[in-house]
Amino acid sequence: MFELHSRLAADTLMVGEFELCQLLIHKDANYPWFILVPKRPKVTEVYHLSERDRMQLMKESCILSEALVDVFAPDKINIATLGNMVPQLHIHHVARYTTDVAWPNPIWGAMSAKDYPQTELEHRIESVASVLVGEDFQVS
Amino acid sequence: MFELHSRLAADTLMVGEFELCQLLIHKDANYPWFILVPKRPKVTEVYHLSERDRMQLMKESCILSEALVDVFAPDKINIATLGNMVPQLHIHHVARYTTDVAWPNPIWGAMSAKDYPQTELEHRIESVASVLVGEDFQVS
């Protein structure tokens, strides 16, 4: 049975669910940072997914990327699946700006996490969720 | 018309071509580090690709990942599309080991590039190419 890894659960809040993936927002206020987690147990690499799930992941990744562009108007989208610390397959989607604290470096390990003002975090969740509703996405 | 970005051309050697992507190997000997570059002009984000190209990219990414597992038996595959320095869409595929110089951090910006002994670079190219032939892959 699928269960979200404890480290991901601790570092994020749930935004909602696509058909394949849970959508999480990282609690680090330095960047609009979202994470897709396929609801499949024991999967650690993209190629472990079935053919159908691989295609669905690509679809959900692109829907999310376009939503982040709509909501945040970033200069670049960074997408990565690393898993060196948390083995459960998860795919980072980060809206980057040439003015953000880590630019042009990758965000992982670049800066300590920064707390969100509570209202800003809720606002980001609602903004992204409202764009995604209608895209086979269920708000939590 | 598609043309490989000068920075990618300088940092890599060509291994061959899939239907959609050129396959490059990075000249940094610290890691088995391969890069897929979709042969589409002016594309900087995955979601810019057509529906068909998105699915083909997923397919080629998984074929490459499985080849890297076959050849290098790594502890983890890291996949990322950043593009903060080189805007042309390119997708890194890195075979990672818990014993490599940057583990568990991402490789980008972690260490200075290390030169390959020439024979080792050629050997890596040939090893990966030989596993990919038959997978709609043409050796350069």
Side-chain angles (χ1 to χ4, degrees), chain A residues 44-45 47 54-55 58 62 66 69 76-82 84 96 104, chain B residues 44-45 47 54-55 58 62 66 69 76-82 84 96 104:
Chain A
T44 60
E45 302 282 2
Y47 77 85
R54 293 176 187 182
M55 298 303 145
M58 174 58 87
C62 287
E66 294 191 79
V69 169
K76 192 73 192 67
I77 299 289
N78 286 178
I79 301 175
T81 174
L82 305 171
N84 305 342
R96 301 296 307 273
Chain B
T44 60
E45 302 281 2
Y47 76 86
R54 293 176 187 182
M55 297 304 146
M58 174 58 87
C62 287
E66 294 191 79
V69 169
K76 192 74 192 68
I77 299 288
N78 286 178
I79 301 174
T81 174
L82 306 171
N84 305 342
R96 301 295 307 271

PDB file of all heavy atoms in Angstrom, chain A residues 44-45 47 54-55 58 62 66 69 76-82 84 96 104, chain B residues 44-45 47 54-55 58 62 66 69 76-82 84 96 104:
ATOM      1  N   THR A  44      11.137   3.610  -6.749  1.00  0.00           N
ATOM      2  CA  THR A  44      12.197   4.582  -6.458  1.00  0.00           C
ATOM      3  C   THR A  44      12.756   5.257  -7.715  1.00  0.00           C
ATOM      4  O   THR A  44      13.514   6.216  -7.599  1.00  0.00           O
ATOM      5  CB  THR A  44      13.365   3.919  -5.693  1.00  0.00           C
ATOM      6  OG1 THR A  44      13.898   2.859  -6.505  1.00  0.00           O
ATOM      7  CG2 THR A  44      12.899   3.342  -4.363  1.00  0.00           C
ATOM      8  N   GLU A  45      12.415   4.738  -8.885  1.00  0.00           N
ATOM      9  CA  GLU A  45      12.917   5.319 -10.136  1.00  0.00           C
ATOM     10  C   GLU A  45      11.755   5.456 -11.111  1.00  0.00           C
ATOM     11  O   GLU A  45      10.828   4.631 -11.099  1.00  0.00           O
ATOM     12  CB  GLU A  45      13.990   4.421 -10.784  1.00  0.00           C
ATOM     13  CG  GLU A  45      15.212   4.128  -9.917  1.00  0.00           C
ATOM     14  CD  GLU A  45      16.221   5.270  -9.860  1.00  0.00           C
ATOM     15  OE1 GLU A  45      15.978   6.341 -10.473  1.00  0.00           O
ATOM     16  OE2 GLU A  45      17.250   5.097  -9.189  1.00  0.00           O
ATOM     17  N   TYR A  47      11.664   4.740 -14.215  1.00  0.00           N
ATOM     18  CA  TYR A  47      11.527   3.579 -15.106  1.00  0.00           C
ATOM     19  C   TYR A  47      10.921   2.364 -14.396  1.00  0.00           C
ATOM     20  O   TYR A  47      10.548   1.386 -15.065  1.00  0.00           O
ATOM     21  CB  TYR A  47      12.872   3.240 -15.772  1.00  0.00           C
ATOM     22  CG  TYR A  47      13.860   2.522 -14.885  1.00  0.00           C
ATOM     23  CD1 TYR A  47      13.820   1.135 -14.738  1.00  0.00           C
ATOM     24  CD2 TYR A  47      14.831   3.231 -14.174  1.00  0.00           C
ATOM     25  CE1 TYR A  47      14.717   0.476 -13.912  1.00  0.00           C
ATOM     26  CE2 TYR A  47      15.725   2.584 -13.355  1.00  0.00           C
ATOM     27  CZ  TYR A  47      15.676   1.204 -13.222  1.00  0.00           C
ATOM     28  OH  TYR A  47      16.554   0.570 -12.399  1.00  0.00           O
ATOM     29  N   ARG A  54       4.041   5.881 -16.551  1.00  0.00           N
ATOM     30  CA  ARG A  54       5.081   6.809 -17.054  1.00  0.00           C
ATOM     31  C   ARG A  54       4.434   7.926 -17.866  1.00  0.00           C
ATOM     32  O   ARG A  54       4.783   9.095 -17.712  1.00  0.00           O
ATOM     33  CB  ARG A  54       6.063   6.057 -17.959  1.00  0.00           C
ATOM     34  CG  ARG A  54       6.913   5.038 -17.265  1.00  0.00           C
ATOM     35  CD  ARG A  54       7.782   4.305 -18.306  1.00  0.00           C
ATOM     36  NE  ARG A  54       8.507   3.191 -17.716  1.00  0.00           N
ATOM     37  CZ  ARG A  54       9.358   2.417 -18.388  1.00  0.00           C
ATOM     38  NH1 ARG A  54       9.587   2.647 -19.666  1.00  0.00           N
ATOM     39  NH2 ARG A  54       9.981   1.414 -17.778  1.00  0.00           N
ATOM     40  N   MET A  55       3.503   7.548 -18.733  1.00  0.00           N
ATOM     41  CA  MET A  55       2.846   8.544 -19.587  1.00  0.00           C
ATOM     42  C   MET A  55       1.976   9.490 -18.742  1.00  0.00           C
ATOM     43  O   MET A  55       1.920  10.686 -18.981  1.00  0.00           O
ATOM     44  CB  MET A  55       2.003   7.852 -20.668  1.00  0.00           C
ATOM     45  CG  MET A  55       2.823   6.988 -21.619  1.00  0.00           C
ATOM     46  SD  MET A  55       4.145   7.900 -22.470  1.00  0.00           S
ATOM     47  CE  MET A  55       5.444   6.667 -22.589  1.00  0.00           C
ATOM     48  N   MET A  58       4.204  12.013 -17.041  1.00  0.00           N
ATOM     49  CA  MET A  58       4.585  13.097 -17.956  1.00  0.00           C
ATOM     50  C   MET A  58       3.435  14.085 -18.099  1.00  0.00           C
ATOM     51  O   MET A  58       3.640  15.306 -18.077  1.00  0.00           O
ATOM     52  CB  MET A  58       4.975  12.498 -19.311  1.00  0.00           C
ATOM     53  CG  MET A  58       5.253  13.518 -20.399  1.00  0.00           C
ATOM     54  SD  MET A  58       6.563  14.694 -19.985  1.00  0.00           S
ATOM     55  CE  MET A  58       8.021  13.795 -20.544  1.00  0.00           C
ATOM     56  N   CYS A  62       3.511  18.052 -16.819  1.00  0.00           N
ATOM     57  CA  CYS A  62       3.308  19.195 -17.727  1.00  0.00           C
ATOM     58  C   CYS A  62       2.130  20.060 -17.278  1.00  0.00           C
ATOM     59  O   CYS A  62       2.193  21.293 -17.365  1.00  0.00           O
ATOM     60  CB  CYS A  62       3.130  18.707 -19.163  1.00  0.00           C
ATOM     61  SG  CYS A  62       4.672  18.116 -19.892  1.00  0.00           S
ATOM     62  N   GLU A  66       2.691  23.991 -16.289  1.00  0.00           N
ATOM     63  CA  GLU A  66       1.926  25.080 -16.903  1.00  0.00           C
ATOM     64  C   GLU A  66       1.155  25.875 -15.845  1.00  0.00           C
ATOM     65  O   GLU A  66       1.043  27.095 -15.931  1.00  0.00           O
ATOM     66  CB  GLU A  66       0.989  24.534 -17.981  1.00  0.00           C
ATOM     67  CG  GLU A  66       1.793  23.957 -19.147  1.00  0.00           C
ATOM     68  CD  GLU A  66       0.949  23.638 -20.373  1.00  0.00           C
ATOM     69  OE1 GLU A  66       0.610  24.560 -21.136  1.00  0.00           O
ATOM     70  OE2 GLU A  66       0.634  22.442 -20.572  1.00  0.00           O
ATOM     71  N   VAL A  69       3.607  28.215 -14.211  1.00  0.00           N
ATOM     72  CA  VAL A  69       3.866  29.363 -15.090  1.00  0.00           C
ATOM     73  C   VAL A  69       2.710  30.356 -15.003  1.00  0.00           C
ATOM     74  O   VAL A  69       2.912  31.571 -14.890  1.00  0.00           O
ATOM     75  CB  VAL A  69       4.108  28.885 -16.542  1.00  0.00           C
ATOM     76  CG1 VAL A  69       4.104  30.064 -17.516  1.00  0.00           C
ATOM     77  CG2 VAL A  69       5.431  28.124 -16.619  1.00  0.00           C
ATOM     78  N   LYS A  76      12.072  30.339 -15.061  1.00  0.00           N
ATOM     79  CA  LYS A  76      12.445  28.981 -15.461  1.00  0.00           C
ATOM     80  C   LYS A  76      11.737  27.994 -14.544  1.00  0.00           C
ATOM     81  O   LYS A  76      11.509  28.301 -13.367  1.00  0.00           O
ATOM     82  CB  LYS A  76      13.977  28.804 -15.311  1.00  0.00           C
ATOM     83  CG  LYS A  76      14.546  27.563 -15.959  1.00  0.00           C
ATOM     84  CD  LYS A  76      14.593  27.657 -17.472  1.00  0.00           C
ATOM     85  CE  LYS A  76      14.882  26.316 -18.126  1.00  0.00           C
ATOM     86  NZ  LYS A  76      13.793  25.335 -17.948  1.00  0.00           N
ATOM     87  N   ILE A  77      11.394  26.843 -15.104  1.00  0.00           N
ATOM     88  CA  ILE A  77      10.919  25.729 -14.280  1.00  0.00           C
ATOM     89  C   ILE A  77      12.085  24.745 -14.123  1.00  0.00           C
ATOM     90  O   ILE A  77      12.725  24.387 -15.120  1.00  0.00           O
ATOM     91  CB  ILE A  77       9.726  25.008 -14.939  1.00  0.00           C
ATOM     92  CG1 ILE A  77       8.533  25.946 -15.131  1.00  0.00           C
ATOM     93  CG2 ILE A  77       9.319  23.776 -14.124  1.00  0.00           C
ATOM     94  CD1 ILE A  77       7.812  26.335 -13.871  1.00  0.00           C
ATOM     95  N   ASN A  78      12.387  24.348 -12.901  1.00  0.00           N
ATOM     96  CA  ASN A  78      13.376  23.287 -12.664  1.00  0.00           C
ATOM     97  C   ASN A  78      12.624  22.031 -12.242  1.00  0.00           C
ATOM     98  O   ASN A  78      11.801  22.080 -11.314  1.00  0.00           O
ATOM     99  CB  ASN A  78      14.351  23.681 -11.541  1.00  0.00           C
ATOM    100  CG  ASN A  78      15.383  24.721 -11.930  1.00  0.00           C
ATOM    101  OD1 ASN A  78      16.187  25.128 -11.099  1.00  0.00           O
ATOM    102  ND2 ASN A  78      15.383  25.188 -13.172  1.00  0.00           N
ATOM    103  N   ILE A  79      12.922  20.932 -12.914  1.00  0.00           N
ATOM    104  CA  ILE A  79      12.284  19.649 -12.597  1.00  0.00           C
ATOM    105  C   ILE A  79      13.379  18.646 -12.290  1.00  0.00           C
ATOM    106  O   ILE A  79      14.361  18.552 -13.036  1.00  0.00           O
ATOM    107  CB  ILE A  79      11.440  19.144 -13.784  1.00  0.00           C
ATOM    108  CG1 ILE A  79      10.359  20.169 -14.145  1.00  0.00           C
ATOM    109  CG2 ILE A  79      10.812  17.783 -13.465  1.00  0.00           C
ATOM    110  CD1 ILE A  79       9.549  19.810 -15.394  1.00  0.00           C
ATOM    111  N   ALA A  80      13.219  17.909 -11.193  1.00  0.00           N
ATOM    112  CA  ALA A  80      14.255  16.927 -10.868  1.00  0.00           C
ATOM    113  C   ALA A  80      13.706  15.796 -10.027  1.00  0.00           C
ATOM    114  O   ALA A  80      12.842  15.996  -9.170  1.00  0.00           O
ATOM    115  CB  ALA A  80      15.408  17.594 -10.117  1.00  0.00           C
ATOM    116  N   THR A  81      14.211  14.601 -10.303  1.00  0.00           N
ATOM    117  CA  THR A  81      13.990  13.476  -9.415  1.00  0.00           C
ATOM    118  C   THR A  81      15.359  12.962  -8.990  1.00  0.00           C
ATOM    119  O   THR A  81      16.146  12.483  -9.801  1.00  0.00           O
ATOM    120  CB  THR A  81      13.105  12.384 -10.064  1.00  0.00           C
ATOM    121  OG1 THR A  81      13.055  11.265  -9.192  1.00  0.00           O
ATOM    122  CG2 THR A  81      13.582  11.961 -11.436  1.00  0.00           C
ATOM    123  N   LEU A  82      15.655  13.149  -7.717  1.00  0.00           N
ATOM    124  CA  LEU A  82      16.970  12.819  -7.173  1.00  0.00           C
ATOM    125  C   LEU A  82      16.826  11.582  -6.293  1.00  0.00           C
ATOM    126  O   LEU A  82      17.238  10.492  -6.658  1.00  0.00           O
ATOM    127  CB  LEU A  82      17.523  14.020  -6.397  1.00  0.00           C
ATOM    128  CG  LEU A  82      17.566  15.334  -7.230  1.00  0.00           C
ATOM    129  CD1 LEU A  82      17.902  16.535  -6.369  1.00  0.00           C
ATOM    130  CD2 LEU A  82      18.568  15.212  -8.378  1.00  0.00           C
ATOM    131  N   ASN A  84      18.245  10.888  -3.433  1.00  0.00           N
ATOM    132  CA  ASN A  84      19.453  10.428  -2.738  1.00  0.00           C
ATOM    133  C   ASN A  84      19.231  10.365  -1.228  1.00  0.00           C
ATOM    134  O   ASN A  84      19.898   9.597  -0.534  1.00  0.00           O
ATOM    135  CB  ASN A  84      20.631  11.342  -3.061  1.00  0.00           C
ATOM    136  CG  ASN A  84      20.878  11.475  -4.558  1.00  0.00           C
ATOM    137  OD1 ASN A  84      20.397  10.655  -5.332  1.00  0.00           O
ATOM    138  ND2 ASN A  84      21.596  12.497  -4.963  1.00  0.00           N
ATOM    139  N   ARG A  96      11.511  29.061 -10.685  1.00  0.00           N
ATOM    140  CA  ARG A  96      12.746  29.798 -10.394  1.00  0.00           C
ATOM    141  C   ARG A  96      12.705  31.209 -10.994  1.00  0.00           C
ATOM    142  O   ARG A  96      12.135  31.418 -12.070  1.00  0.00           O
ATOM    143  CB  ARG A  96      13.957  29.037 -10.983  1.00  0.00           C
ATOM    144  CG  ARG A  96      14.146  27.623 -10.466  1.00  0.00           C
ATOM    145  CD  ARG A  96      14.464  27.615  -8.967  1.00  0.00           C
ATOM    146  NE  ARG A  96      15.565  28.476  -8.622  1.00  0.00           N
ATOM    147  CZ  ARG A  96      16.860  28.113  -8.651  1.00  0.00           C
ATOM    148  NH1 ARG A  96      17.180  26.894  -9.007  1.00  0.00           N
ATOM    149  NH2 ARG A  96      17.815  28.975  -8.307  1.00  0.00           N
ATOM    150  N   PRO A 104      21.991  31.137 -10.136  1.00  0.00           N
ATOM    151  CA  PRO A 104      21.464  30.137 -11.063  1.00  0.00           C
ATOM    152  C   PRO A 104      21.714  28.698 -10.602  1.00  0.00           C
ATOM    153  O   PRO A 104      21.563  27.782 -11.405  1.00  0.00           O
ATOM    154  CB  PRO A 104      22.263  30.430 -12.341  1.00  0.00           C
ATOM    155  CG  PRO A 104      23.622  30.806 -11.820  1.00  0.00           C
ATOM    156  CD  PRO A 104      23.375  31.532 -10.508  1.00  0.00           C
TER     157      PRO A 104
ATOM    158  N   THR B  44      12.571  25.360 -24.431  1.00  0.00           N
ATOM    159  CA  THR B  44      13.315  25.516 -23.171  1.00  0.00           C
ATOM    160  C   THR B  44      12.669  24.792 -21.991  1.00  0.00           C
ATOM    161  O   THR B  44      13.276  24.690 -20.931  1.00  0.00           O
ATOM    162  CB  THR B  44      13.465  27.017 -22.802  1.00  0.00           C
ATOM    163  OG1 THR B  44      12.161  27.588 -22.646  1.00  0.00           O
ATOM    164  CG2 THR B  44      14.234  27.780 -23.869  1.00  0.00           C
ATOM    165  N   GLU B  45      11.443  24.322 -22.166  1.00  0.00           N
ATOM    166  CA  GLU B  45      10.754  23.625 -21.087  1.00  0.00           C
ATOM    167  C   GLU B  45      10.117  22.351 -21.651  1.00  0.00           C
ATOM    168  O   GLU B  45       9.692  22.333 -22.811  1.00  0.00           O
ATOM    169  CB  GLU B  45       9.633  24.497 -20.485  1.00  0.00           C
ATOM    170  CG  GLU B  45      10.084  25.839 -19.920  1.00  0.00           C
ATOM    171  CD  GLU B  45      10.733  25.729 -18.531  1.00  0.00           C
ATOM    172  OE1 GLU B  45      10.879  24.607 -17.997  1.00  0.00           O
ATOM    173  OE2 GLU B  45      11.095  26.791 -17.995  1.00  0.00           O
ATOM    174  N   TYR B  47       7.208  21.167 -21.129  1.00  0.00           N
ATOM    175  CA  TYR B  47       5.813  21.364 -21.544  1.00  0.00           C
ATOM    176  C   TYR B  47       5.707  22.124 -22.867  1.00  0.00           C
ATOM    177  O   TYR B  47       4.607  22.174 -23.455  1.00  0.00           O
ATOM    178  CB  TYR B  47       4.992  22.038 -20.437  1.00  0.00           C
ATOM    179  CG  TYR B  47       5.220  23.515 -20.281  1.00  0.00           C
ATOM    180  CD1 TYR B  47       4.510  24.440 -21.047  1.00  0.00           C
ATOM    181  CD2 TYR B  47       6.152  24.012 -19.370  1.00  0.00           C
ATOM    182  CE1 TYR B  47       4.726  25.803 -20.909  1.00  0.00           C
ATOM    183  CE2 TYR B  47       6.378  25.360 -19.220  1.00  0.00           C
ATOM    184  CZ  TYR B  47       5.658  26.251 -19.992  1.00  0.00           C
ATOM    185  OH  TYR B  47       5.884  27.590 -19.863  1.00  0.00           O
ATOM    186  N   ARG B  54       6.504  14.756 -25.942  1.00  0.00           N
ATOM    187  CA  ARG B  54       6.580  14.536 -24.482  1.00  0.00           C
ATOM    188  C   ARG B  54       6.631  13.041 -24.183  1.00  0.00           C
ATOM    189  O   ARG B  54       7.414  12.590 -23.348  1.00  0.00           O
ATOM    190  CB  ARG B  54       5.348  15.129 -23.791  1.00  0.00           C
ATOM    191  CG  ARG B  54       5.251  16.626 -23.839  1.00  0.00           C
ATOM    192  CD  ARG B  54       3.925  17.061 -23.195  1.00  0.00           C
ATOM    193  NE  ARG B  54       3.693  18.491 -23.350  1.00  0.00           N
ATOM    194  CZ  ARG B  54       2.645  19.137 -22.857  1.00  0.00           C
ATOM    195  NH1 ARG B  54       1.716  18.465 -22.175  1.00  0.00           N
ATOM    196  NH2 ARG B  54       2.506  20.432 -23.030  1.00  0.00           N
ATOM    197  N   MET B  55       5.766  12.286 -24.857  1.00  0.00           N
ATOM    198  CA  MET B  55       5.720  10.838 -24.607  1.00  0.00           C
ATOM    199  C   MET B  55       7.009  10.164 -25.090  1.00  0.00           C
ATOM    200  O   MET B  55       7.534   9.261 -24.458  1.00  0.00           O
ATOM    201  CB  MET B  55       4.493  10.230 -25.304  1.00  0.00           C
ATOM    202  CG  MET B  55       3.159  10.766 -24.783  1.00  0.00           C
ATOM    203  SD  MET B  55       2.950  10.573 -22.992  1.00  0.00           S
ATOM    204  CE  MET B  55       1.999  12.024 -22.553  1.00  0.00           C
ATOM    205  N   MET B  58       9.739  10.774 -22.549  1.00  0.00           N
ATOM    206  CA  MET B  58       9.610   9.851 -21.409  1.00  0.00           C
ATOM    207  C   MET B  58      10.164   8.476 -21.781  1.00  0.00           C
ATOM    208  O   MET B  58      10.888   7.848 -21.008  1.00  0.00           O
ATOM    209  CB  MET B  58       8.145   9.766 -20.981  1.00  0.00           C
ATOM    210  CG  MET B  58       7.850   8.738 -19.913  1.00  0.00           C
ATOM    211  SD  MET B  58       8.792   8.976 -18.370  1.00  0.00           S
ATOM    212  CE  MET B  58       7.712  10.134 -17.502  1.00  0.00           C
ATOM    213  N   CYS B  62      13.529   6.689 -20.093  1.00  0.00           N
ATOM    214  CA  CYS B  62      13.487   5.388 -19.404  1.00  0.00           C
ATOM    215  C   CYS B  62      14.434   4.381 -20.047  1.00  0.00           C
ATOM    216  O   CYS B  62      15.101   3.612 -19.337  1.00  0.00           O
ATOM    217  CB  CYS B  62      12.051   4.862 -19.358  1.00  0.00           C
ATOM    218  SG  CYS B  62      11.012   5.759 -18.178  1.00  0.00           S
ATOM    219  N   GLU B  66      17.507   2.758 -17.900  1.00  0.00           N
ATOM    220  CA  GLU B  66      17.712   1.308 -17.771  1.00  0.00           C
ATOM    221  C   GLU B  66      19.090   0.906 -18.313  1.00  0.00           C
ATOM    222  O   GLU B  66      19.746   0.020 -17.751  1.00  0.00           O
ATOM    223  CB  GLU B  66      16.582   0.560 -18.478  1.00  0.00           C
ATOM    224  CG  GLU B  66      15.254   0.802 -17.760  1.00  0.00           C
ATOM    225  CD  GLU B  66      14.132  -0.114 -18.224  1.00  0.00           C
ATOM    226  OE1 GLU B  66      14.095  -1.281 -17.794  1.00  0.00           O
ATOM    227  OE2 GLU B  66      13.290   0.346 -19.016  1.00  0.00           O
ATOM    228  N   VAL B  69      21.620   1.723 -15.657  1.00  0.00           N
ATOM    229  CA  VAL B  69      21.581   0.708 -14.594  1.00  0.00           C
ATOM    230  C   VAL B  69      22.312  -0.556 -15.048  1.00  0.00           C
ATOM    231  O   VAL B  69      23.109  -1.136 -14.296  1.00  0.00           O
ATOM    232  CB  VAL B  69      20.116   0.415 -14.193  1.00  0.00           C
ATOM    233  CG1 VAL B  69      20.023  -0.814 -13.305  1.00  0.00           C
ATOM    234  CG2 VAL B  69      19.519   1.632 -13.482  1.00  0.00           C
ATOM    235  N   LYS B  76      21.658   4.966  -7.508  1.00  0.00           N
ATOM    236  CA  LYS B  76      20.504   5.833  -7.783  1.00  0.00           C
ATOM    237  C   LYS B  76      20.700   6.479  -9.139  1.00  0.00           C
ATOM    238  O   LYS B  76      21.836   6.738  -9.534  1.00  0.00           O
ATOM    239  CB  LYS B  76      20.420   6.917  -6.680  1.00  0.00           C
ATOM    240  CG  LYS B  76      19.142   7.711  -6.663  1.00  0.00           C
ATOM    241  CD  LYS B  76      17.967   6.917  -6.116  1.00  0.00           C
ATOM    242  CE  LYS B  76      16.629   7.590  -6.371  1.00  0.00           C
ATOM    243  NZ  LYS B  76      16.239   7.625  -7.790  1.00  0.00           N
ATOM    244  N   ILE B  77      19.603   6.729  -9.825  1.00  0.00           N
ATOM    245  CA  ILE B  77      19.637   7.567 -11.027  1.00  0.00           C
ATOM    246  C   ILE B  77      19.098   8.946 -10.628  1.00  0.00           C
ATOM    247  O   ILE B  77      18.040   9.036  -9.996  1.00  0.00           O
ATOM    248  CB  ILE B  77      18.754   6.977 -12.148  1.00  0.00           C
ATOM    249  CG1 ILE B  77      19.238   5.580 -12.561  1.00  0.00           C
ATOM    250  CG2 ILE B  77      18.717   7.912 -13.348  1.00  0.00           C
ATOM    251  CD1 ILE B  77      20.521   5.546 -13.345  1.00  0.00           C
ATOM    252  N   ASN B  78      19.826   9.990 -10.976  1.00  0.00           N
ATOM    253  CA  ASN B  78      19.329  11.359 -10.793  1.00  0.00           C
ATOM    254  C   ASN B  78      18.976  11.916 -12.165  1.00  0.00           C
ATOM    255  O   ASN B  78      19.797  11.880 -13.087  1.00  0.00           O
ATOM    256  CB  ASN B  78      20.394  12.259 -10.168  1.00  0.00           C
ATOM    257  CG  ASN B  78      20.628  12.022  -8.689  1.00  0.00           C
ATOM    258  OD1 ASN B  78      21.491  12.682  -8.098  1.00  0.00           O
ATOM    259  ND2 ASN B  78      19.890  11.103  -8.065  1.00  0.00           N
ATOM    260  N   ILE B  79      17.761  12.439 -12.282  1.00  0.00           N
ATOM    261  CA  ILE B  79      17.298  13.029 -13.545  1.00  0.00           C
ATOM    262  C   ILE B  79      16.878  14.462 -13.267  1.00  0.00           C
ATOM    263  O   ILE B  79      16.155  14.716 -12.297  1.00  0.00           O
ATOM    264  CB  ILE B  79      16.097  12.240 -14.115  1.00  0.00           C
ATOM    265  CG1 ILE B  79      16.482  10.779 -14.345  1.00  0.00           C
ATOM    266  CG2 ILE B  79      15.595  12.878 -15.417  1.00  0.00           C
ATOM    267  CD1 ILE B  79      15.319   9.884 -14.781  1.00  0.00           C
ATOM    268  N   ALA B  80      17.327  15.387 -14.104  1.00  0.00           N
ATOM    269  CA  ALA B  80      16.941  16.781 -13.877  1.00  0.00           C
ATOM    270  C   ALA B  80      16.985  17.588 -15.152  1.00  0.00           C
ATOM    271  O   ALA B  80      17.862  17.393 -15.995  1.00  0.00           O
ATOM    272  CB  ALA B  80      17.860  17.423 -12.849  1.00  0.00           C
ATOM    273  N   THR B  81      16.038  18.488 -15.275  1.00  0.00           N
ATOM    274  CA  THR B  81      16.082  19.518 -16.305  1.00  0.00           C
ATOM    275  C   THR B  81      16.033  20.863 -15.595  1.00  0.00           C
ATOM    276  O   THR B  81      15.054  21.212 -14.942  1.00  0.00           O
ATOM    277  CB  THR B  81      14.969  19.347 -17.363  1.00  0.00           C
ATOM    278  OG1 THR B  81      15.003  20.456 -18.242  1.00  0.00           O
ATOM    279  CG2 THR B  81      13.590  19.198 -16.756  1.00  0.00           C
ATOM    280  N   LEU B  82      17.154  21.569 -15.644  1.00  0.00           N
ATOM    281  CA  LEU B  82      17.302  22.830 -14.918  1.00  0.00           C
ATOM    282  C   LEU B  82      17.296  23.967 -15.940  1.00  0.00           C
ATOM    283  O   LEU B  82      16.344  24.709 -16.034  1.00  0.00           O
ATOM    284  CB  LEU B  82      18.597  22.794 -14.100  1.00  0.00           C
ATOM    285  CG  LEU B  82      18.713  21.576 -13.158  1.00  0.00           C
ATOM    286  CD1 LEU B  82      20.096  21.474 -12.539  1.00  0.00           C
ATOM    287  CD2 LEU B  82      17.663  21.627 -12.060  1.00  0.00           C
ATOM    288  N   ASN B  84      19.089  26.688 -16.053  1.00  0.00           N
ATOM    289  CA  ASN B  84      19.300  28.040 -15.528  1.00  0.00           C
ATOM    290  C   ASN B  84      20.497  28.718 -16.203  1.00  0.00           C
ATOM    291  O   ASN B  84      20.564  29.938 -16.260  1.00  0.00           O
ATOM    292  CB  ASN B  84      19.508  28.002 -14.016  1.00  0.00           C
ATOM    293  CG  ASN B  84      18.374  27.302 -13.292  1.00  0.00           C
ATOM    294  OD1 ASN B  84      17.282  27.140 -13.856  1.00  0.00           O
ATOM    295  ND2 ASN B  84      18.596  26.865 -12.064  1.00  0.00           N
ATOM    296  N   ARG B  96      24.456   7.648  -9.974  1.00  0.00           N
ATOM    297  CA  ARG B  96      25.046   8.066  -8.705  1.00  0.00           C
ATOM    298  C   ARG B  96      25.388   6.862  -7.830  1.00  0.00           C
ATOM    299  O   ARG B  96      24.687   5.849  -7.850  1.00  0.00           O
ATOM    300  CB  ARG B  96      24.045   8.965  -7.929  1.00  0.00           C
ATOM    301  CG  ARG B  96      23.613  10.225  -8.653  1.00  0.00           C
ATOM    302  CD  ARG B  96      24.779  11.181  -8.867  1.00  0.00           C
ATOM    303  NE  ARG B  96      25.486  11.463  -7.633  1.00  0.00           N
ATOM    304  CZ  ARG B  96      25.177  12.450  -6.782  1.00  0.00           C
ATOM    305  NH1 ARG B  96      24.169  13.236  -7.058  1.00  0.00           N
ATOM    306  NH2 ARG B  96      25.890  12.646  -5.680  1.00  0.00           N
ATOM    307  N   PRO B 104      25.438  12.835  -0.654  1.00  0.00           N
ATOM    308  CA  PRO B 104      24.135  12.658  -1.313  1.00  0.00           C
ATOM    309  C   PRO B 104      23.631  13.940  -1.989  1.00  0.00           C
ATOM    310  O   PRO B 104      22.459  14.016  -2.332  1.00  0.00           O
ATOM    311  CB  PRO B 104      23.225  12.306  -0.128  1.00  0.00           C
ATOM    312  CG  PRO B 104      23.781  13.142   0.994  1.00  0.00           C
ATOM    313  CD  PRO B 104      25.275  13.209   0.758  1.00  0.00           C
TER     314      PRO B 104
END
